[in-house]
């Protein structure tokens, strides 16, 4: 039997990063992954493949919509979905191979197979060929991630009623796609196909898309996507979706409780993800889950069985790769006796539409509900010279600060490269900067980052310069 200081179950961004940090801290480390490739949801069927297809479809969109205005004449441009998916698969393979390299480099033993608890210090790994390995371990980190959720009536058949995993491997460009859920996955993957010419209709339960983001972002993003041809059915309760053989038929109730019937080639179900613990046999280690299926953890990410920790999508909090990574490092350092810290308020969120949407800290709605006195500065992207030069004029940057202390409380933006721009706000908020601090920093010209400075100036006694 192999013996380890730590065994990590699941090789997603939570698990593999935890493994690296544990190895760096001198622990003899094992990583268990049931699939043949490492990297989990994020690398195989999540962040990386979706961004690869978003980039390809963005190139196509620019070639067919924007090149002519830049003075580039192209004719006969066609989208080749098979090549796009092939390139995406190549990107995934290279990225997963990179994780394998990192495991080897850090002397981490990788065991491929389904990991399950025999008891709190013993884990059985059953490989694809049914061979079994037993591991003895001092500590364990559960990083088994999540899988797509669905509600009664919308069960994916993975043929016409699909999840994100099938949407990333389409062999044709649908003429029409229904998306249930106007959240991150629905809007990112909807954008991929919308840009390739698919008519996209989103059926959303809430009264706005990306309902957990700042309201201004929902409004602005809806405007942008409508311009791209998206149609939104808000406040609709889906009753059923059926595969009709050549397509799908969806029935929903609108806010007046009237029946609405929609038809399309495919229906993407994107109503959130649920924690994945099947096969772990948690009961053998006495580990508790809550009513949402999440593994319960304390502030140190420790389960009720003290030598077992859990991180990432399988525990409470945002289902984001970088959150899982932070938690992986946190637990490794915690076990090594260090005093790590995660500020969950400062985990940024991004939607990779174009323009991108990014945010950090609290939304205007959250702050108002908490009774906080706030001031808001906003700056439109179209007022930036850089934006006019690149023709990316849509979007806005919103800075929210405390009315009394001027401390930054939330920054939200829909802007070109917002995913990268948001880091200025994250760093500033990590150091508890005020809006005026940002406003007084020299920003390079011409850049999109000047929009952050201008929004901060707008929040500081309404003194934006270029509007
Ligand atoms: P996972 O990445 O889900 O990894 C869990 C791993 O555990 C899997 O490999 C699984 O096979 C393995 N496993 C499970 N049970 C066992 C077992 N018993 N034995 C052995 N192995 C097991 N997040 C972002 O931050 N940015 C994005 O751009 C982004 N885009 C996304 C796009 C899509 C389409 C999807 C679906 C998700 C996206 N996410 C994104 C979310 C991100 O993928 C997850 O938050 C992240 O992967 C969670 O990491 P994790 O380590 O907790 O789990
Ligand atoms: P989500 O929570 O972002 O969005 C789900 C949407 O579905 C919400 O708008 C919700 O109101 C709606 N909804 C829920 N039930 C519904 C119903 N019955 N009918 C109609 N609409 C309904 O979830 P997602 O888009 O599935 O993504 C899952 C997770 O993956 C998210 O937590 C997200 O953080 C992560 N993810 C992140 C990124 C990124 O960081 N760029 C990209 C993709 C996925």
């Amino acid at each position: 039997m192999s013996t380890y200081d730590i065994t990590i179950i699941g090789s997603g961004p939570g698990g593999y990063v935890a493994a690296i940090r544990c190895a760096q801290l001198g622990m003899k480390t094992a990583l268990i992954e049931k699939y043949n490739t490492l990297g989990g949801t994020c690398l195989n069927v999540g962040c990386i493949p979706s961004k690869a297809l978003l980039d390809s479809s963005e190139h196509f969109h620019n070639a067919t919509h924007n090149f002519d205005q830049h003075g580039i004449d192209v004719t006969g441009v066609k989208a080749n979905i098979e090549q796009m998916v092939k390139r995406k698969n190549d990107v995934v393979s290279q990225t997963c191979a990179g994780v394998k390299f990192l495991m080897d480099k850090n002397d981490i033993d990788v065991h491929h197979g389904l990991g399950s608890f025999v008891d709190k210090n013993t884990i059985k790994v059953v490989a694809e060929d049914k061979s079994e390995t037993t591991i003895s371990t001092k500590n364990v980190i559960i990083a088994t991630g999540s899988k797509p959720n669905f509600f009664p009536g919308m069960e994916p058949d993975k043929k016409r009623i699909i999840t994100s995993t099938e949407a990333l491997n389409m062999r044709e460009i649908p003429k029409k796609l229904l998306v249930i859920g106007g959240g991150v996955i629905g809007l990112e993957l909807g954008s991929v196909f919308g840009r390739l010419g698919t008519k996209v209709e989103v059926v959303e339960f809430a009264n706005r898309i990306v309902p957990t983001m700042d309201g201004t972002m929902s409004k602005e993003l809806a405007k942008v996507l409508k311009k791209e041809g998206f149609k939104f059915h808000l406040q609709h309760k889906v009753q059923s979706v059926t595969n009709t053989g050549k397509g799908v038929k969806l029935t929903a109730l609108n806010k007046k409780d009237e029946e609405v019937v929609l038809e399309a080639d495919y229906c993407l179900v994107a109503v959130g993800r649920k924690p994945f613990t099947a096969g772990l046999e948690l009961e053998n280690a006495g580990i508790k889950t809550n009513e949402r299926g999440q593994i319960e953890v304390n502030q140190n990410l420790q389960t009720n069985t003290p030598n077992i920790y859990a991180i990432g999508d399988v525990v409470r909090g945002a289902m984001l790769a970088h959150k899982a990574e932070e938690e992986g490092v946190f637990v490794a350092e915690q076990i090594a006796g260090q005093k790590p810290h995660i500020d969950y308020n400062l985990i940024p969120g991004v939607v990779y539409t174009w323009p991108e949407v990014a945010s950090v800290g609290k939304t205007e709605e959250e702050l108002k509900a908490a009774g906080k006195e706030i001031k808001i500065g906003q700056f439109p992207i179209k007022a930036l010279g850089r934006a006019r030069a690149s023709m990316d004029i849509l979007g806005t940057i919103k800075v929210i600060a405390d009315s009394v202390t001027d401390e930054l409380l939330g920054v939200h933006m829909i802007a070109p490269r917002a995913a990268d721009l948001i880091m200025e706000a994250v760093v500033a908020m990590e150091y508890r900067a005020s809006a005026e601090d940002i406003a007084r920093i020299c920003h390079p010209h011409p850049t999109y980052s000047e929009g952050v400075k201008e929004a901060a100036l707008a929040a500081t006694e309404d003194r934006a310069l270029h509007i």
Side-chain angles (χ1 to χ4, degrees):
M1 194 192 301
S2 313
T3 303
Y4 293 97
D5 294 319
I6 184 121
T7 298
I8 295 144
I9 311 178
S11 73
Y16 88 74
V17 169
I20 294 173
R21 190 69 187 119
C22 287
Q24 284 176 344
L25 290 164
M27 293 176 228
K28 188 168 183 239
T29 307
L31 179 68
I32 305 175
E33 171 53 56
K34 68 176 174 171
Y35 289 127
N36 292 328
T37 58
L38 302 178
T41 304
C42 178
L43 271 60
N44 290 279
V45 291
C47 327
I48 300 300
S50 58
K51 268 77 254 178
L53 290 182
L54 277 157
D55 284 335
S56 297
S57 60
E58 180 65 18
H59 286 312
F60 177 76
H61 181 83
N62 281 331
T64 49
H65 290 74
N66 298 330
F67 275 13
D68 55 346
Q69 288 185 68
H70 280 279
I72 307 164
D73 292 330
V74 285
T75 48
V77 178
K78 277 201 281 192
N80 177 344
I81 186 80
E82 281 183 24
Q83 171 56 24
M84 282 188 192
V85 171
K86 182 187 167 299
R87 190 194 79 92
K88 178 270 294 178
N89 289 340
D90 291 344
V91 172
V92 167
S93 307
Q94 287 160 17
T95 316
C96 292
V99 176
K100 166 85 176 73
F101 166 82
L102 292 172
M103 296 304 104
D104 293 344
K105 185 182 163 218
N106 286 285
D107 288 329
I108 295 159
D109 288 351
V110 175
H111 299 267
H112 283 284
L114 184 76
S116 61
F117 285 96
V118 176
D119 59 45
K120 69 184 179 55
N121 295 105
T122 317
I123 294 167
K124 184 172 77 180
V125 185
V126 181
E128 219 173 33
D129 64 5
K130 304 277 179 259
S131 60
E132 285 186 18
T133 313
T134 304
I135 285 174
S136 168
T137 187
K138 204 163 144 198
N139 292 301
V140 182
I141 303 176
I142 303 171
T144 49
S146 62
K147 64 174 187 176
N149 196 16
F150 55 84
F151 296 103
M154 57 171 92
E155 293 82 357
D157 65 3
K158 302 191 178 179
K159 293 185 175 75
R160 293 272 165 192
I161 306 166
I162 59 176
T163 70
S164 52
T165 303
E166 294 75 49
L168 292 168
N169 283 303
M170 294 287 277
R171 302 173 88 158
E172 62 172 344
I173 300 167
K175 286 198 178 57
K176 186 170 169 190
L177 173 70
L178 291 177
V179 178
I180 309 181
V184 201
I185 292 183
L187 302 182
E188 287 187 0
L189 294 180
S191 291
V192 167
F193 292 103
R195 292 166 187 171
L196 300 179
T198 301
K199 196 169 175 313
V200 180
E201 293 195 19
V202 177
V203 185
E204 166 60 54
F205 183 73
N207 62 359
R208 60 182 173 103
I209 58 169
V210 281
T212 52
M213 290 193 113
D214 186 275
T216 308
M217 299 300 113
S218 295
K219 214 166 93 194
E220 291 296 316
L221 183 58
K223 260 198 249 167
V224 168
L225 293 176
K226 277 183 194 164
K227 248 183 154 170
E228 276 181 25
F230 272 58
K231 191 167 174 189
F232 295 108
H233 304 274
L234 301 177
Q235 291 178 282
H236 276 57
K237 283 186 225 150
V238 174
Q239 302 296 296
S240 68
V241 197
T242 46
N243 178 342
T244 58
K246 286 192 174 154
V248 290
K249 187 173 162 183
L250 180 150
T251 314
L253 294 178
N254 67 15
K255 66 175 175 188
K256 293 181 191 151
D257 260 350
E258 296 158 344
E259 191 176 271
V260 176
V261 177
L262 301 168
E263 289 187 80
D265 302 313
Y266 292 88
C267 175
L268 167 63
V269 180
V271 292
R273 292 177 62 85
K274 56 185 171 198
F276 184 76
T277 54
L280 275 176
E281 305 202 27
L282 291 175
E283 58 288 354
N284 292 343
I287 297 166
K288 282 194 203 137
T289 54
N290 63 23
E291 65 293 343
R292 298 176 67 186
Q294 295 160 331
I295 294 180
E296 290 210 336
V297 285
N298 63 16
Q299 75 279 9
N300 290 334
L301 295 158
Q302 201 169 21
T303 68
N304 56 302
T305 302
N307 70 317
I308 302 175
Y309 297 76
I311 60 171
D313 281 11
V314 81
V315 301
R316 80 286 182 274
M319 287 182 160
L320 294 172
H322 41 286
K323 178 258 192 188
E325 288 186 35
E326 290 304 311
E327 292 184 334
V329 170
F330 177 96
V331 169
E333 294 180 352
Q334 184 78 27
I335 292 170
Q338 299 184 0
K339 298 260 174 289
H341 173 71
I342 299 174
D343 186 343
Y344 284 94
N345 184 44
L346 295 187
I347 291 178
V350 176
V351 189
Y352 289 83
T353 45
W354 192 263
E356 293 165 343
V357 189
S359 69
V360 63
K362 298 272 185 279
T363 65
E364 181 181 342
E365 293 75 17
E366 285 169 335
L367 290 165
K368 283 190 171 156
K372 204 82 180 150
E373 293 287 320
I374 54 171
K375 49 188 186 159
I376 294 174
Q378 221 173 302
F379 191 78
I381 294 298
K382 66 169 180 257
L384 294 169
R386 185 73 192 91
R388 281 193 302 278
S390 68
M391 250 175 58
D392 286 308
I393 54 166
L394 299 175
T396 186
I397 298 181
K398 175 171 173 178
V399 165
I400 312 177
D402 188 301
S403 323
V404 182
T405 64
D406 197 36
E407 181 176 356
L408 289 170
L409 300 176
V411 177
H412 309 276
M413 51 179 81
I414 171 162
R417 301 277 166 234
D420 298 291
L421 279 187
I422 197 70
M423 275 316 296
E424 173 175 4
V426 180
V427 173
M429 288 174 72
E430 189 68 55
Y431 287 93
R432 300 199 59 180
S434 64
E436 189 170 2
D437 287 330
I438 296 257
R440 288 191 179 275
I441 294 171
C442 180
H443 287 63
H445 174 75
T447 58
Y448 303 116
S449 75
E450 288 171 290
V452 181
K453 176 186 171 106
E454 291 280 1
L457 277 167
T460 312
E461 293 163 21
D462 199 14
R463 54 191 176 96
L465 296 163
H466 290 88
I467 191 106

